[in-house]
Amino acid sequence: MSFSERILTWYAAHKRALPWRETKNPYVIWLSEIILQQTRVEQGMPYFLRFFETFPNVTKFAAAEESEILRLWQGLGYYSRARNMHRASKQVVELHAGDFPTAYQALLELPGVGEYTAAAIAAFSKNSPHAVLDGNVFRVLSRYFGIHEPINSTAGKKLFSKLAQEMLDRDHPGDYNQAIMDFGALQCKPKNPDCSTCVLQIDCVAYQGSLVDQLPVKLKGKKSRDRFFHYFVIEKEGEVMMSQRGEGDVWANLFEFPMLETTERLAVDQLMENEAYQQLFGDAVPAVLGAEVKHLLSHQNIYARFYKLPAESLQITKKREWNYYLLENLDKLAKHKLISSFVEQNF
DNA sequence: AAAACGGGGAA
DNA sequence: TTCCCAGTTTT
């Protein structure tokens, strides 16, 4: 049996029942694929169901306020996906008359749709012969062929892309793509893959050479930097001051409490000596709220401290991105996890 | 060619 | 802790 025959046979017996596999509607597939980028199926599932229910078609999606989309996206991470989806939906309405594209090249034009997602939508909606290349496919192919080229190097991406396309079953592109991804997720797992029951065991170079735990090879990235955030909880008559973050940094456009960042961890007396702090609050003494919160992102370590301050101590009156919001309207603002966790526990 | 961009589960 | 998840965009 060929590679694809084995994969497809395995798939027939082990495929996961996933809601987005029930449709050929490119809009619905797009919804699922963007949500699943760098996101585990179990984590993305509730978000998919929520978006599918709220926006049954691309026209509804495009007509929504970006704030509503961000609010629904809250907690999922990589928020640029949500903003790009909104842009893409508007593009589909304006340039394709609301008819979601299914052609690979047309899909690539949409913001947030890269090579993987374009191939996925094209193959799943029209059975177009485009091989997907995601983390699962990298892993399965690198082990099966015993390839040590790093999967995140330029040469590696090129090599695996070509190989993935060669391995594609051109008679069943959609099923083959689903199959190899499920195979990677369920059988050829990153840790402790189930080689003893593997249908590819006979031909798998990594298995035959006892290299399974060494593949795939991945270049290590830079290590995370440390950042220290000081959040100020300022309440006034049932309202609380919130600040909207700008672009060009983590959590773009999301809401949080007014914040001061320092390069070092600061004790309260050190914070009060800080020039920016004094401009904001003069010599008002902040009340420390709870312990330092450590929030880890893939590329930075954020150490956050929350302080309560009386509204009267606020010296600055005209900060464009700062505004008071009714406590009961707080859930309408899209907040990042660090803040939404705090709000849940304290409001 | 690298780095930025989130959050969470598993070992 | 470290790795990695149905990756894409920006620098």
Side-chain angles (χ1 to χ4, degrees):
Chain A
M1 257 203 292
S2 69
F3 176 84
S4 67
E5 282 172 336
R6 288 181 195 275
I7 291 277
L8 251 8
T9 303
W10 175 91
Y11 181 60
H14 299 93
K15 74 177 280 190
R16 289 179 285 185
L18 302 172
W20 47 87
R21 283 181 174 165
E22 310 290 315
T23 183
K24 297 238 171 202
N25 182 332
Y27 163 72
V28 179
I29 296 168
W30 167 75
L31 223 46
S32 71
E33 292 302 339
I34 304 290
I35 287 172
L36 263 20
Q37 285 170 6
Q38 293 292 286
T39 304
R40 278 167 297 101
V41 166
E42 313 83 75
Q43 190 188 358
M45 182 75 76
Y47 287 86
F48 169 78
L49 297 173
R50 189 183 308 171
F51 272 90
F52 180 55
E53 186 171 18
T54 310
F55 310 116
N57 57 61
V58 69
T59 310
K60 292 266 173 54
F61 195 105
E65 292 292 326
E66 184 172 288
S67 58
E68 185 185 6
I69 293 171
L70 276 173
R71 193 161 48 78
L72 287 171
W73 197 269
Q74 188 171 184
L76 193 56
Y78 285 158
Y79 297 90
S80 67
R81 288 184 292 174
R83 291 191 302 277
N84 282 151
M85 279 180 104
H86 197 219
R87 290 172 52 207
S89 68
K90 287 181 177 299
Q91 204 166 304
V92 170
V93 168
E94 286 163 23
L95 271 48
H96 302 270
D99 191 11
F100 209 97
T102 55
Y104 183 79
Q105 288 302 330
L107 287 162
L108 273 185
E109 299 290 318
L110 301 175
V113 175
E115 290 181 357
Y116 163 80
T117 306
I121 299 174
F124 299 151
S125 66
K126 292 289 189 208
N127 257 311
S128 302
H130 295 277
V132 295
L133 181 53
D134 74 333
N136 294 304
V137 179
F138 273 118
R139 186 168 56 254
V140 172
L141 294 181
S142 79
R143 285 174 177 167
Y144 184 76
F145 289 102
I147 299 171
H148 289 259
E149 184 70 33
I151 60 173
N152 55 345
S153 68
T154 302
K157 286 179 203 160
K158 204 170 155 187
L159 190 163
F160 281 98
S161 175
K162 183 163 179 285
L163 185 55
Q165 191 59 35
E166 286 169 9
M167 301 306 286
L168 174 71
D169 186 330
R170 298 186 64 91
D171 294 328
H172 319 88
D175 279 346
Y176 170 84
N177 278 334
Q178 297 281 14
I180 192 169
M181 288 195 286
D182 255 8
F183 184 80
L186 302 175
Q187 180 101 28
C188 195
K189 298 173 291 185
K191 306 267 180 67
N192 307 114
D194 201 354
C195 297
S196 63
T197 65
C198 182
V199 297
L200 299 176
Q201 204 188 80
I202 304 294
D203 311 303
C204 179
V205 174
Y207 178 76
Q208 297 299 336
S210 301
L211 300 166
V212 174
D213 58 347
Q214 297 175 42
L215 294 173
V217 174
K218 194 170 185 179
L219 267 19
K220 297 213 186 305
K222 222 182 65 167
K223 67 172 180 187
S224 313
R225 65 181 168 127
D226 293 335
R227 303 177 74 176
F228 299 89
F229 288 1
H230 308 271
Y231 284 112
F232 305 113
V233 181
I234 306 161
E235 285 184 76
K236 189 184 78 173
E237 299 161 18
E239 295 185 315
V240 60
M241 184 76 87
M242 298 296 284
S243 162
Q244 185 168 24
R245 294 180 63 84
E247 312 259 1
D249 195 359
V250 72
W251 299 320
N253 301 350
L254 298 198
F255 286 87
E256 59 184 13
F257 300 116
M259 187 268 284
L260 206 54
E261 178 174 1
T262 60
T263 54
E264 305 291 337
R265 175 177 285 106
L266 257 40
V268 172
D269 54 325
Q270 294 174 302
L271 177 64
M272 290 179 66
E273 290 165 18
N274 181 284
E275 192 179 332
Y277 178 89
Q278 292 182 356
Q279 283 187 15
L280 253 27
F281 305 111
D283 51 11
V285 182
V288 177
L289 264 23
E292 180 182 77
V293 177
K294 185 176 181 180
H295 191 85
L296 301 174
L297 305 182
S298 48
H299 52 292
Q300 47 187 285
N301 308 321
I302 293 171
Y303 299 91
R305 194 105 230 192
F306 292 85
Y307 311 86
K308 179 136 185 114
L309 275 154
E312 310 80 64
S313 64
L314 195 55
Q315 315 269 313
I316 310 275
T317 51
K318 45 167 188 194
K319 267 258 188 190
R320 276 286 164 267
E321 64 276 22
W322 289 15
N323 272 111
Y324 280 109
Y325 291 89
L326 255 17
L327 250 22
E328 57 260 40
N329 287 339
L330 223 45
D331 60 331
K332 296 203 166 43
L333 302 181
K335 301 171 287 295
H336 53 82
K337 198 68 187 183
L338 180 50
I339 296 300
S340 62
S341 298
F342 181 89
V343 168
E344 271 176 39
Q345 292 170 30
N346 297 276
F347 284 87

